[in-house]
Amino acid sequence: MLTSRMFLKRTRAGAVVKVVREHYLRDDIPCGAAACRLCPPRPAGPGLGLQAQPSGAASSLCPGPHYLLPDTNLLLHQIDILEDPVIKNVIVLQTVLQEVRNRSAPVYKRIRDVIANPEKHFYSFTNEHHRETYIQQEQGETSNDRNDRAIRVAVKWYNEHLKKLEDEEKIQVIFLTNDRNNKEKALEEGITAYTCEEYIKSLIANPDLVDRLACVSDEGKEIESGKIIFPEHIPLSKLQQGIKSGIYLQGTYRASRDNYLEATVWVHGDAEENKEIIIQGLKHLNRAVHEDIVAVELLAKDDWVAPSSVVLQDEGQNEDDIENEEEKENILKTSVNKDMLRPTGKVVGIIKRNWRPFCGMLSKSQIKEARRHLFTPADRRIPRIRIETRQADTLEGQRIIVAIDGWPRNSRYPNGHFVKNLGTAGDKETETEVLLLEHDVPHQPFSQGVLSFLPKMPWSITEQDMKYREDLRNLCVCSVDPPGCTDIDDALHCRELENGNIEVGVHIADVSHFIRPGNALDEESAKRGTTVYLCEKRIDMVPELLSSNLCSLRSNVDRLAFSCIWEMNHKAEILKTRFTKSIINSKASLTYAEAQMRIDSATMNDDITTSLRGLNKLAKILKKKRIDNGALTLSSPEVRFHMDSETHDPIDLQTKELKETNSMVEEFMLLANVSVAQKIYDEFPEFALLRKHPAPPPSNYDILVKAAKSKASFYLKTDSAKALAESLDKAESPAFPYLNTLLRILTTRCMMQAVYFCSGMDNDFHHYGLASPIYTHFTSPIRRYADIIVHRLLAVAVGADSTYPELTDKHKLADMCKNLNYRHKMAQYAQRASVAFHTQLFFKSKGVVNEDAYILFVRKNAVVVLIPKYGLEGTVFFEEKGKPTPKLDYNNEVPSLTVEDTTLHVFDKVKVNIMLDASNIQHQKIRMMLVEPKV
């Protein structure tokens, strides 16, 4: 059966055309109930469909067997409830799925996964193509009202249809809706309908499920009467008009980690002069949450403020203690130099919420028998969340996940609901899970769909694989990596040619041979973007069969590679470059220490050692050229832990020592990346995936220049990378040998983030840190997805593989770069968090440790110090709860902080006591106290 709709449409050229929309209706769409003999069998697909005798939680409202049918809003807001194992036998209508898809991609993915789970017995019913459940929109009826009616029609049809089954106990379909109007109409039409709360509270055997109910209330409507704290949000339609006319600015809201009463908004678009707007004070922050897209109104210039130097944590237990907040806001208002003032604004509305489930801990209410408690997120940038739970005693001391539901104007904190218990706080497994969730690192095991695209074992190289490949197994290739490395991306060779020149080869694992464009394995790798290295765990970007076996360039096995081969003279000048897919057989997998030992050995002269010496000699020349060109050699204290082999607890902690061979490998990787970047850009000027490092704005260097001048009377030049590199080289002090390292560490903090971009979407390619006009990533395809794309581009450029549409679509490449930049940033943060957690474990058993430290930064009420022995950074506070506050005098110009009569400068050497402060189990931290000089 067919229904059709005809309408007239005007084309761009002005002609009027008749459009006919055909809508096919069928009477052979199954209802999904396993016991139904009236419908045709259900076609094979995801999930198992509805059970013949629905087994699920016993309900006091509907004790008989029943299926549930939710409307769109219920599915959008109560997805946590629907995902719970207790909830089974749910009918999801096509009308509902389509609306959810249009309104929330994450919820749509989650409900599709639930439908596909055979244990849940969810069934997707195509009501829009079923002859008896399809309805047309009536005149004057809104799309929303039509969809609500379509849902009610489907519920009615199901109930009538299931009555015809010859079962002793009839199955009923219960309509779940939180829409008062829709529920009233359903009851008038004789449909059994409940709100989600009514139904969940009726599940006698599962009282804990009530905690997972989303607290649904419109943002403007107050849940309870109370003092209005926040200004009203301007409606979206008015915001968009205001943004268009320039009254408001749109940007991403970034909360501060150090001060919960301050945030910045990064303005979208080209408003260069106002790229960053400061927001200060509770009312101006106006219920925005970190990463929300907000509309901001700039304040008059007289009301502009300077970024605060005060460290303020939200520690109030009383959720509505506003007087205390106003007192704290006054702390921010100190007199500052006019040059320090920055554009300041207030949040007037929310354009898009970017809420996610948050990890953290319950701060149990002091009131006995209370059901309302505050949840404190692990991420200090997220406000506390008020939740209702009956399990407070059980959840105390546990890491839990909570979702935000809304933030009324009269509530100091947003309202939310409990989602999941992760485990005991402080437990290594639990804390690693929190760390991965908080940094949005995809870490679930690879699905069967992804693993199905892996090569079948035993695997061997075939004749087909040798097509377009050079056989380089005769070359003396070896790899040099950190100890314990199993995902070996790169190998090298070096040999003298008959003409007196030198041939050098960089051989990179040919991952793109195994991961073909567009399949599930490719999509999963693209989503993950990068391998994440934690202190004792690796979250692979590609399955282990590839990362540690077939793609890993292990010694004495044949492996597929992509080779970049140069002919050089003895001055390391490149005479010829060529790229080829190849097959290699590495002669040795060495650690940096083993390679260094061979180079330094007086007795070893075998082929591998000779090759390494040749590489090392050339690498030194290449490095000197790079540095002469203006490349920066910066320092960052990297920490490595020695683990107890049985408990896996850190037993020793030291900063990583870099050997000459680290630098040797790095030089050739950089050279290969530059060579490949040039090649793919020459071939694909519009679609090359490149990497750039923008030059920092001059203001970023202020703190560095002031510190160098005040402490060491050095004037650092920062007008170019070359000038900075030369200044840093000269900044030596015999009396203070560690000064140069400190300056380089501080310089690292001034840098911008390096990013991936598509060459057709940008015209600034320069890599500031490497002083290179063009750069990309080619050398680590096992652990970086960007390199896989670069391999595919290079393969097409050298005729070794064919192209595909997405590879030459610059908009799709630009979107991919956005995801890769995000994943790389999050991986970096996760790695730092892992080091911080393992550092805490290390100091847990150490008691109080006394160490030398250097001051990196001074704040108004604290100094940030670096302890070289451990590569550890921490804050020494001079204001402590319950203790008299010392007299503090902060000087931003020098920069220095005077505590009573002692003045502390950046780079001063001090002595500190280090201990683990476990008073706050969620935010356990390394606490540092100044021992010398005494203050």
Side-chain angles (χ1 to χ4, degrees), residues 44-323:
L48 287 179
L50 306 160
Q51 287 173 305
Q53 278 303 309
S55 67
S59 162
S60 58
L61 284 174
C62 23
H66 57 273
Y67 300 142
L68 300 174
L69 195 152
D71 71 358
T72 308
N73 280 330
L74 193 130
L75 202 149
L76 278 166
H77 297 299
Q78 305 291 355
I79 183 71
D80 288 325
I81 288 277
L82 294 173
E83 284 178 329
D84 194 280
V86 168
I87 305 297
K88 294 181 178 178
N89 293 296
V90 176
I91 300 160
V92 184
L93 297 180
Q94 180 189 3
T95 311
V96 171
L97 263 184
Q98 283 171 344
E99 278 197 279
V100 169
R101 187 179 193 172
N102 293 335
R103 286 169 60 183
S104 171
V107 175
Y108 178 72
K109 186 186 181 307
R110 284 168 73 182
I111 195 63
R112 296 291 326 178
D113 289 346
V114 175
I115 292 168
N117 179 354
E119 288 168 18
K120 291 284 284 168
H121 297 282
F122 272 50
Y123 178 62
S124 170
F125 178 61
T126 320
N127 65 309
E128 294 290 356
H129 289 279
H130 194 291
R131 190 166 56 172
E132 292 180 52
T133 56
Y134 171 72
I135 60 162
Q136 288 201 332
Q137 193 168 344
E138 291 174 354
Q139 213 167 352
E141 188 178 38
T142 66
S143 305
N144 212 22
D145 288 346
R146 181 260 167 210
N147 287 347
D148 284 348
R149 189 161 59 88
I151 295 168
R152 293 195 303 275
V153 165
V155 179
K156 227 170 172 178
W157 175 82
Y158 255 105
N159 275 320
E160 285 164 14
H161 179 73
L162 295 174
K163 270 181 197 164
K164 298 172 192 170
L165 300 187
E166 294 167 5
D167 281 13
E168 291 152 33
E169 240 185 321
K170 296 294 176 214
I171 299 170
Q172 194 182 9
V173 173
I174 308 291
F175 179 36
L176 294 184
T177 178
N178 285 341
D179 183 323
R180 195 180 303 153
N181 259 351
N182 207 1
K183 187 186 170 193
E184 281 170 10
K185 283 181 183 170
L187 294 170
E188 280 167 23
E189 293 167 18
I191 296 168
T192 308
Y194 299 113
T195 64
C196 192
E197 191 172 349
E198 287 168 342
Y199 180 76
I200 295 302
K201 283 184 173 172
S202 79
L203 306 178
I204 320 128
N206 301 86
D208 293 351
L209 207 52
V210 175
D211 289 356
R212 300 190 73 176
L213 276 170
C215 167
V216 181
S217 126
D218 296 333
E219 297 225 351
K221 293 178 191 159
E222 284 66 60
I223 288 174
E224 288 169 359
S225 59
K227 183 180 169 190
I228 298 291
I229 302 166
F230 297 103
E232 203 166 341
H233 284 152
I234 294 168
L236 191 58
S237 54
K238 284 190 179 169
L239 288 179
Q240 285 165 336
Q241 287 168 9
I243 289 164
K244 234 178 189 173
S245 59
I247 303 169
Y248 309 131
L249 295 164
Q250 176 177 324
T252 304
Y253 178 91
R254 304 262 167 87
S256 163
R257 278 180 206 274
D258 297 327
N259 185 342
Y260 75 101
L261 292 174
E262 182 171 277
T264 52
V265 171
W266 285 73
V267 177
H268 302 166
D270 299 315
E272 276 305 325
E273 70 282 2
N274 297 328
K275 203 65 182 160
E276 189 180 308
I277 295 169
I278 291 177
I279 317 284
Q280 262 185 18
L282 211 55
K283 288 183 174 63
H284 285 171
L285 298 175
N286 198 4
R287 297 171 284 155
V289 176
H290 183 64
E291 292 292 342
D292 282 351
I293 309 294
V294 298
V296 174
E297 185 178 351
L298 272 178
L299 301 179
K301 280 203 170 177
D302 296 350
D303 296 325
W304 284 14
V305 297
S308 167
S309 306
V310 179
V311 179
L312 279 183
Q313 304 294 350
D314 180 6
E315 284 162 355
Q317 269 300 324
N318 182 353
E319 55 195 66
D320 294 308
D321 185 1
I322 297 305
E323 283 69 27

Side-chain angles (χ1 to χ4, degrees), residues 109 442 444-455 514-529 540-543 546 785 788 792:
K109 186 186 181 307
Q444 63 287 357
F446 290 99
S447 70
Q448 278 312 116
V450 168
L451 298 175
S452 68
F453 285 96
L454 291 174
F514 297 96
I515 300 181
R516 303 309 294 162
N519 67 25
L521 176 56
D522 182 43
E523 283 170 3
E524 181 63 24
S525 309
K527 180 184 140 196
R528 293 184 178 220
D540 280 328
M541 179 185 83
V542 299
L546 296 183
Y785 189 76
I788 293 180
R792 288 175 183 169

Side-chain angles (χ1 to χ4, degrees), residues 755-872:
V755 289
Y756 295 112
F757 68 100
C758 171
S759 58
M761 305 288 276
D762 207 320
N763 46 22
D764 172 23
F765 292 9
H766 192 74
H767 197 293
Y768 179 81
L770 297 173
S772 175
I774 192 164
Y775 192 66
T776 193
H777 272 163
F778 163 75
T779 53
S780 296
I782 294 177
R783 59 186 177 91
R784 290 188 305 232
Y785 189 76
D787 304 52
I788 293 180
I789 295 295
V790 168
H791 275 228
R792 288 175 183 169
L793 287 163
L794 186 63
V796 177
V798 300
D801 208 339
S802 52
T803 185
Y804 57 99
E806 285 77 10
L807 195 63
T808 53
D809 181 331
K810 61 182 182 183
H811 297 285
K812 287 215 169 117
L813 272 173
D815 285 344
M816 184 186 288
C817 289
K818 201 174 168 184
N819 177 56
L820 293 176
N821 291 330
Y822 170 70
R823 292 292 180 207
H824 274 259
K825 186 173 72 178
M826 284 321 209
Q828 230 173 354
Y829 291 162
Q831 282 153 2
R832 282 181 205 159
S834 178
V835 168
F837 174 63
H838 279 79
T839 306
Q840 288 168 14
L841 287 180
F842 173 73
F843 282 105
K844 199 174 187 175
S845 57
K846 289 273 180 274
V848 179
V849 178
N850 183 281
E851 284 297 343
D852 287 342
Y854 292 96
I855 295 175
L856 275 185
F857 302 102
V858 292
R859 304 275 186 247
K860 276 187 183 172
N861 57 348
V863 292
V864 179
V865 297
L866 172 77
I867 294 150
K869 182 177 176 182
Y870 299 127
L872 181 65

Side-chain angles (χ1 to χ4, degrees), residues 122 655 717:
F122 272 50
T655 47
K717 289 183 182 169

Side-chain angles (χ1 to χ4, degrees), residues 339-501:
D339 298 341
M340 300 289 289
L341 298 177
R342 296 280 181 271
T344 308
K346 61 180 181 183
V347 173
V348 292
I350 308 292
I351 290 159
K352 183 174 179 275
R353 287 290 194 192
N354 266 328
W355 294 342
R356 58 179 175 83
F358 300 105
C359 299
M361 292 181 74
L362 199 68
S363 307
K364 201 176 149 203
S365 171
Q366 304 302 312
I367 305 162
K368 210 177 174 198
E369 300 295 312
R371 278 174 48 195
R372 280 189 161 186
H373 307 270
L374 280 178
F375 161 83
T376 306
D379 186 342
R380 289 189 187 278
R381 295 169 300 185
I382 306 299
R384 291 168 156 206
I385 302 163
R386 182 172 32 193
I387 68 166
E388 282 194 27
T389 177
R390 302 161 186 223
Q391 315 174 58
D393 293 337
T394 319
L395 296 179
E396 213 177 0
Q398 301 286 300
R399 288 283 200 175
I400 62 173
I401 297 178
V402 161
I404 300 180
D405 299 322
W407 196 340
R409 287 175 62 199
N410 67 340
S411 172
R412 168 66 184 84
Y413 297 111
N415 296 312
H417 66 274
F418 167 76
V419 176
K420 188 182 178 186
N421 184 353
L422 293 171
T424 308
D427 171 74
K428 208 182 303 176
E429 287 299 310
T430 305
E431 293 303 328
T432 303
E433 180 71 8
V434 168
L435 190 151
L436 294 169
L437 287 168
E438 276 301 289
H439 294 95
D440 195 14
V441 174
H443 60 288
Q444 63 287 357
F446 290 99
S447 70
Q448 278 312 116
V450 168
L451 298 175
S452 68
F453 285 96
L454 291 174
K456 302 291 172 270
M457 296 301 283
W459 174 84
S460 60
I461 295 169
T462 64
E463 277 297 310
Q464 188 59 30
D465 294 334
M466 288 304 296
K467 215 174 171 190
Y468 309 118
R469 265 179 212 282
E470 275 188 50
D471 190 341
L472 304 178
R473 283 175 287 192
N474 61 316
L475 293 178
C476 184
V477 171
C478 67
S479 62
V480 184
D481 289 282
C485 178
T486 60
D487 51 345
I488 302 170
D489 281 293
D490 53 86
L492 298 154
H493 88 269
C494 173
R495 62 174 182 171
E496 286 255 354
L497 296 174
E498 286 174 6
N499 61 9
N501 291 330

